[in-house]
């Protein structure tokens, strides 16, 4: 199950990075990656990019 997330090319950001980062367990990270694989679309990518910009300027869970 967690090997399935390796079926896509990794990028510089992702759903789990903008959904809690360090507050997300490994299991949750895998679930978010699998959710991304199931819902992959241009609109989702744009949402993740916009959320990434917000996380850069308001890093609430970065250690």
């Amino acid at each position: 199950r967690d090997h399935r997330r390796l079926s896509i090319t990794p990028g510089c950001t992702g759903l789990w990075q903008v959904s809690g980062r360090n507050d997300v367990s490994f299991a949750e990270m895998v679930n978010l990656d699998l959710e991304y694989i199931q819902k992959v679309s241009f609109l989702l990518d744009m949402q993740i990019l916009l959320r990434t910009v917000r996380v850069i300027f308001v890093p609430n869970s970065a250690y």
Side-chain angles (χ1 to χ4, degrees):
R1 173 175 145 12
D2 46 316
H3 288 275
R4 183 167 178 237
R5 65 191 278 257
L6 302 175
S7 68
I8 60 170
T9 304
C12 61
T13 188
L15 192 54
W16 73 267
Q17 287 93 336
V18 297
S19 300
R21 258 165 93 171
N22 293 326
D23 294 332
V24 176
S25 70
F26 180 76
E28 292 169 316
M29 178 177 54
V30 170
N31 287 335
L32 287 167
D33 285 343
L34 293 175
E35 179 182 338
Y36 174 79
I37 291 170
Q38 291 173 343
K39 297 179 178 180
V40 68
S41 70
F42 180 75
L43 181 59
L44 180 57
D45 287 345
M46 291 300 104
Q47 290 172 343
I48 291 171
L49 283 174
L50 290 173
R51 289 173 64 185
T52 299
V53 171
R54 185 177 62 186
V55 168
I56 289 170
F57 291 108
V58 185
N60 58 359
S61 63
Y63 303 141

